[in-house]
Amino acid sequence: MTSRLEGETLEISMGPQHPSTHGVFRMNVALDGEVVTKLKPVFGYLHRNHEKIGESASYLGSMPYTDRLDYFCSMTNNWAYALSVEKLAGIDVPERAEYLRVILAELTRLQNHVSLLGFLLSDMGAWGTPLMYAFREREKILDLFESLSGARMMCNYMRFGGCRCDTPKGWIESAKEIVAEFPRFLDEFEQLIVSNEILIARTQGIGKLSADLAISAGITGPMLRASGVNYDIRKVDAYGIYPRFKFRVPLGDHGDCYDRLMMRVLELRESLDILKPALDEIPAGPVINPKVKIRSFRPPAGEAYGRIEAPKGELGFYLISDGGTNPYRYRVRPPSFVNLTILEDLCLGHTVADVMVILGSIDIVMGEVDR
């Protein structure tokens, strides 16, 4: 390693694999001593040709592929794609299915955010207890998904015009029990965060993201709101039946790693406020529009873009139909990829030890970055 006094830098390659990226990823970093002077993210190791496959598969045939984008959040992936096709074909969704979609989306937000908290603490060196504590709660939600869809992670549950099947007996009651018990865990976990001097020192003032840069770079989700920008697609687009529920949009003050971490905690509480009335008020009725004929499904020629507030940010699908059985064009707008583009801006001037904390605070899954 060259001496810092000589004004020379050391170039290192972090990767192409690191556990905190939840996939295969590489960073080419230039260091002046311990300080980052340049950082280039390198993607593509997991590219699976998702969008081109979507142009040769049937509309329904692409639904299981959406599970493999952000594989922590298959339910919300399904919903974003189903919403796009429903806009393209003008399909209505039964009320019970709309309630189920909101419930499953907010349960997904719970297990995604709690996983991020566990992973981020382990990135700082608190390996073991925080992650297992978080995963204990995540497993309860995955048990719900499995009993409903038959799969814990690759659920393939949404359908155009509703959901694949109704809830089994006792499912709503089990979900209510999990939601009722969740605040106790969340209170304890938040206390673990805010009372930890090491965590505060490692996150406050680290990786600041200004509101102007966040907006110009197209950042969405908790990252954007941590920088103080009031933008939540559940409020902006009012898709599904979200307007029926009262919830606030938490905002950060500094846009640093600490704000991004606490943003997930605050959003967990808002998700609970949505889940409680949704589970209490869910009506009886069909869970799928019977007029939708999947085997002969041919949306009229046209184009549509459907988007939702996924746990990591705006997830959208852009579809063009030529009237055939498969999309003429199929395009994904993934939040992990877009949010990752400002990684260098966040890391410049910080130490190499801060890089992993900053990367962890973004919350990415490489299946969504590379597609």
Side-chain angles (χ1 to χ4, degrees):
M1 182 173 179
T2 58
S3 170
R4 187 175 179 182
L5 295 177
E6 296 174 5
E8 297 183 9
T9 59
L10 173 68
E11 295 186 1
I12 62 172
S13 177
M14 299 179 70
Q17 190 163 353
H18 195 283
S20 71
T21 63
H22 316 299
V24 183
F25 178 55
R26 176 182 175 188
M27 292 178 287
N28 292 331
V29 186
L31 300 173
D32 182 4
E34 288 283 323
V35 178
V36 176
T37 60
K38 184 187 297 184
L39 187 149
K40 179 184 178 182
V42 182
F43 333 119
Y45 294 97
L46 284 178
H47 181 59
R48 293 152 299 150
N49 212 29
H50 178 136
E51 291 159 327
K52 207 62 185 174
I53 290 173
E55 294 172 6
S56 57
S58 68
Y59 282 91
L60 182 59
S62 290
M63 185 64 78
Y65 286 105
T66 67
D67 290 339
R68 276 77 179 169
L69 286 167
D70 179 357
Y71 34 79
F72 274 75
C73 305
S74 70
M75 289 292 192
T76 47
N77 298 346
N78 288 176
W79 191 5
Y81 177 57
L83 187 66
S84 302
V85 176
E86 287 157 4
K87 290 180 68 174
L88 187 65
I91 298 172
D92 295 324
V93 179
E95 189 174 25
R96 181 174 176 84
E98 292 281 26
Y99 270 88
L100 278 175
R101 287 180 172 188
V102 167
I103 290 167
L104 294 169
E106 297 310 314
L107 286 172
T108 298
R109 204 176 314 275
L110 290 188
Q111 61 94 15
N112 178 86
H113 284 2
V114 78
S115 299
L116 180 277
L117 295 175
F119 280 124
L120 186 54
L121 266 65
S122 71
D123 290 344
M124 297 181 204
W127 178 252
T129 303
L131 182 59
M132 293 301 102
Y133 195 24
F135 265 42
R136 184 191 67 183
E137 301 305 309
R138 177 176 181 255
E139 286 298 304
K140 297 175 184 178
I141 296 173
L142 294 188
D143 286 344
L144 282 178
F145 290 171
E146 184 178 21
S147 65
L148 177 63
S149 71
R152 297 173 68 77
M153 292 181 67
M154 310 303 170
C155 299
N156 185 23
Y157 178 69
M158 304 292 178
R159 290 294 182 267
F160 314 136
C163 303
R164 175 159 52 89
C165 58
D166 206 345
T167 57
K169 184 178 180 180
W171 192 92
I172 295 294
E173 289 70 25
S174 297
K176 286 181 179 179
E177 184 177 346
I178 290 172
V179 169
E181 294 173 351
F182 202 90
R184 176 181 176 181
F185 154 78
L186 188 55
D187 290 341
E188 293 175 352
F189 210 76
E190 182 178 1
Q191 186 61 31
L192 175 68
I193 293 171
V194 300
S195 63
N196 190 304
E197 295 180 5
I198 298 174
L199 184 145
I200 291 173
R202 293 292 307 276
T203 57
Q204 288 188 348
I206 304 298
K208 285 188 175 182
L209 173 63
S210 69
D212 289 341
L213 176 58
I215 293 170
S216 63
I219 306 303
T220 55
M223 275 196 72
L224 178 66
R225 294 187 285 275
S227 297
V229 181
N230 189 350
Y231 187 82
D232 187 311
I233 298 173
R234 292 173 294 178
K235 294 282 191 181
V236 173
D237 286 4
Y239 62 93
I241 55 169
Y242 274 112
R244 301 186 187 184
F245 306 106
K246 293 182 180 180
F247 64 99
R248 68 187 185 93
V249 179
L251 301 176
D253 295 320
H254 309 290
D256 55 10
C257 287
Y258 186 81
D259 276 5
R260 289 193 285 275
L261 186 152
M262 291 305 298
M263 191 56 48
R264 272 76 179 199
V265 175
L266 296 173
E267 289 194 1
L268 286 170
R269 299 194 183 280
E270 298 307 313
S271 289
L272 293 172
D273 287 343
I274 295 171
L275 281 164
K276 290 172 185 175
L279 288 165
D280 288 338
E281 298 167 9
I282 183 170
V287 296
I288 193 164
N289 187 333
K291 295 181 180 180
V292 180
K293 306 300 180 183
I294 295 297
R295 291 186 179 180
S296 58
F297 188 68
R298 291 173 178 265
E303 60 184 280
Y305 177 68
R307 63 178 188 168
I308 67 166
E309 184 66 40
K312 294 175 173 63
E314 179 182 334
L315 172 63
F317 287 81
Y318 173 64
L319 302 172
I320 298 180
S321 169
D322 60 1
T325 58
N326 50 280
Y328 176 73
R329 284 288 181 268
Y330 176 110
R331 186 74 174 174
V332 184
R333 192 275 183 202
S336 288
F337 174 75
V338 178
N339 292 349
L340 191 58
T341 58
I342 46 84
L343 180 60
E344 181 181 43
D345 300 271
L346 301 183
C347 292
L348 290 178
H350 292 294
T351 66
V352 67
D354 293 330
V355 169
M356 298 318 303
V357 178
I358 294 170
L359 177 61
S361 73
I362 297 176
D363 190 12
I364 63 168
V365 165
M366 291 308 297
E368 192 176 73
V369 173
D370 290 334
R371 302 183 301 290

